[in-house]
Amino acid sequence: MTPGPNLILRLPNSTTLTQITSLDSSNNFGATHWTDGRCVAPMEPDELWLRVHRPTGEFFWTDECEEIGQDTAWGGISSEWKDIPFADDPDADDFFHAIQNGLADNPEKIRYLRVWLWWKQNDSVRSDGQLQADLEAYRGNLEALIAISDLTRPNERLMAAEAARQLGDFARACELLAGDLPADYAHAATRIRDLAERRDTLVRQL
């Protein structure tokens, strides 16, 4: 993993300045892949599209910001930018807030928010084996994610099948897996089908 410069951004609504880190390169050595599509790699940190500026409570998409400068890579901050706070990565509550408040204005961003909410809610299972999310919110998000999935796209169909499995709709999960899928999806599809047949509803490692 090679750090890139810190990017100085002007937020689109408040015009406040914030910083985010960037990467010049990364790799997925030692990565763990999960049935919900999440890949967790120690040398490949998440570079999230949505961020939160805590001092003002502003949520922002990085592609909607004006980049006004760059600072030295991780480990050094110049005096010019030293008082500008870094933006935070959203947690599950933040993603839920973003969805509830309509912070996505196109299908790509709406799907992004729902996938990341799912992943963040599943992180408690990854860490200690227990789903700690509010069940109503969890189920509502998965139902909405399935509804917006383009089932002609293999990746979205596979994720819809996994979402159905985690909802406990095992027949629907197997139905979604029944059609042809590209060869590189075969392992994940087999794993999800096996978990559905065992009536397992939790995210699992591939």
Side-chain angles (χ1 to χ4, degrees):
M1 178 175 64
T2 305
N6 298 325
L7 306 181
I8 314 302
L9 305 179
R10 188 184 307 280
L11 303 186
N13 294 327
S14 68
T15 71
T16 304
L17 298 185
T18 192
Q19 298 194 56
I20 64 172
T21 58
S22 70
L23 289 174
D24 278 342
S25 65
S26 63
N27 66 75
N28 61 4
F29 178 78
T32 303
H33 296 269
W34 297 85
T35 52
D36 61 1
R38 183 125 154 81
C39 173
V40 181
M43 299 296 288
E44 193 173 49
D46 299 322
E47 288 191 281
L48 294 176
W49 196 1
L50 183 76
R51 307 289 178 100
V52 187
H53 183 257
R54 297 294 181 195
T56 61
E58 186 171 352
F59 288 67
F60 64 94
W61 298 95
T62 56
D63 66 322
E64 296 178 358
C65 296
E66 176 190 2
E67 182 182 322
I68 66 165
Q70 296 186 358
D71 206 348
T72 52
W74 297 349
I77 300 176
S78 68
S79 59
E80 182 180 5
W81 309 114
K82 66 181 180 64
D83 294 327
I84 297 175
F86 280 85
D88 286 347
D89 288 348
D91 58 23
D93 288 342
D94 292 324
F95 280 112
F96 184 78
H97 171 89
I99 292 167
Q100 293 297 102
N101 286 274
L103 297 184
D105 58 5
N106 63 58
E108 183 183 11
K109 287 181 176 178
I110 291 170
R111 180 173 177 82
Y112 183 90
L113 292 179
R114 291 202 175 278
V115 168
W116 268 100
L117 174 57
W118 181 25
W119 287 353
K120 289 291 186 179
Q121 290 171 326
N122 276 341
D123 280 349
S124 65
V125 182
R126 287 181 249 275
S127 62
D128 62 21
Q130 300 293 322
L131 181 64
Q132 298 174 3
D134 177 86
L135 290 181
E136 182 177 354
Y138 184 80
R139 294 183 64 85
N141 183 54
L142 289 188
E143 289 165 355
L145 181 59
I146 293 170
I148 64 173
S149 294
D150 180 352
L151 302 182
T152 67
R153 305 178 76 170
N155 183 60
E156 294 193 25
R157 179 151 62 93
L158 188 69
M159 293 184 77
E162 172 65 356
R165 180 186 72 82
Q166 292 186 25
L167 284 168
D169 190 347
F170 305 116
R172 176 63 168 153
C174 291
E175 177 186 333
L176 287 165
L177 295 171
D180 291 336
L181 287 167
D184 54 352
Y185 288 81
H187 172 68
T190 298
R191 175 72 164 136
I192 293 168
R193 185 181 295 108
D194 177 66
L195 291 167
E197 289 172 352
R198 290 194 277 133
R199 307 185 72 79
D200 187 327
T201 61
L202 293 179
V203 67
R204 301 296 183 187
Q205 289 188 33
L206 287 176

